[in-house]
Amino acid sequence: MSSRPSLQASLRLMQLADSAFPSGSFTQSFGLETFIQRGDINNSRHLAGYMATYLYYTWRVTDLLAVRLAWQAARALNMNKLMVLDKRLHAMKLPYESREGSVKMGKRLRRILGEIDPAYQPAGRLPWCHHAIVFGHYGALASELEPLLAAYAHAAVVSLVANGVRAIPLGQTDGQQVIARLQPLAEVCINWALTATEQEWGGSAPALDWAGMAHEGLYSRIFMS
């Protein structure tokens, strides 16, 4: 793979982590909307508590570590490993809508990257194209691992908090306060993902899985998951 100057790579990561990047994350709540409609989350404190649980017990041990594993496989030019990682991540995501949301975001990310970066060669043989796998594969093109994980963490936090702000609803300042409150936890998650083994990959919080599954049956919905 070709390399880029570090500043250009950093700017590209900022582009991918920007809330305006059209990955489709604004259509996904990954079960958050279920709790909001039940009345369990109706203020910024509730949203921060939910996000902390989601990040540490579900996202950290699935998507975040998947980015690192995909980055390593891509750096080693091991396409077969990338395919296995994509299949395993698909099996980890129990709620159907959350699983499909991750796939839709990954396919959209892959398509956009192919249009904005001539150096990017899409991983065409991926069975599902989960967002974390595509993100890690692309990051191997130039990015070092720690800033790549930081960009992915920022994008995940900002997009889900923004969706919570829309659905509750809250003010924009409330949303920014929640994001700031979550940054120390995001650092904890990143540091863990930097050193975790593949055997530690996988986990969930049953209540969050239930919310993702129950979302399909909500009478009215803003989000697709």
Side-chain angles (χ1 to χ4, degrees):
M1 294 184 176
S2 61
S3 61
R4 295 192 186 90
S6 59
L7 179 57
Q8 187 176 347
S10 297
L11 291 171
R12 180 54 51 81
L13 285 180
M14 292 171 66
Q15 180 182 6
L16 298 184
D18 194 304
S19 60
F21 189 84
S23 65
S25 61
F26 68 95
T27 68
Q28 309 293 333
S29 85
F30 301 114
L32 171 61
E33 188 174 19
T34 301
F35 288 115
I36 293 173
Q37 287 206 19
R38 279 168 45 97
D40 298 320
I41 299 175
N42 54 38
N43 58 45
S44 61
R45 180 174 57 84
H46 293 163
L47 179 60
Y50 168 85
M51 286 294 303
T53 300
Y54 170 79
L55 291 174
Y56 191 81
Y57 291 104
T58 297
W59 173 84
R60 171 182 65 99
V61 293
T62 55
D63 294 87
L64 184 62
L65 185 50
V67 173
R68 196 206 88 195
L69 296 174
W71 181 89
Q72 290 177 321
R75 281 285 174 106
L77 302 179
N78 190 341
M79 187 61 206
N80 289 332
K81 181 66 173 180
L82 276 170
M83 294 172 64
V84 170
L85 294 174
D86 197 39
K87 290 179 180 178
R88 286 187 61 190
L89 185 58
H90 194 75
M92 290 176 190
K93 293 182 176 293
L94 302 182
Y96 169 77
E97 289 183 345
S98 298
R99 191 166 59 244
E100 289 300 297
S102 175
V103 169
K104 289 177 181 178
M105 288 174 58
K107 289 181 176 179
R108 185 168 180 81
L109 175 63
R110 184 177 66 167
R111 180 178 63 79
I112 295 171
L113 289 173
E115 294 174 353
I116 67 175
D117 191 342
Y120 177 59
Q121 298 296 321
R125 291 189 293 157
L126 287 177
W128 298 107
C129 291
H130 278 279
H131 185 259
I133 302 299
V134 176
F135 201 96
H137 175 257
Y138 177 73
L141 185 65
S143 300
E144 295 302 316
L145 181 56
E146 187 170 358
L148 180 72
L149 294 178
Y152 189 76
H154 178 74
V157 170
V158 168
S159 63
L160 198 50
V161 169
N163 291 347
V165 166
R166 288 164 55 197
I168 291 172
L170 298 172
Q172 293 300 319
T173 300
D174 292 321
Q176 292 302 314
Q177 289 173 337
V178 172
I179 291 170
R181 200 177 308 164
L182 292 169
Q183 286 169 349
L185 176 60
E187 183 178 0
V188 169
C189 294
I190 291 166
N191 288 334
W192 177 84
L194 286 168
T195 59
T197 66
E198 188 171 344
Q199 287 69 36
E200 296 175 90
W201 187 32
S204 66
L208 302 190
D209 286 339
W210 167 84
M213 296 173 186
H215 186 267
E216 298 180 41
L218 294 182
Y219 179 74
S220 62
R221 300 181 294 174
I222 301 174
F223 303 104
M224 298 176 65
S225 68

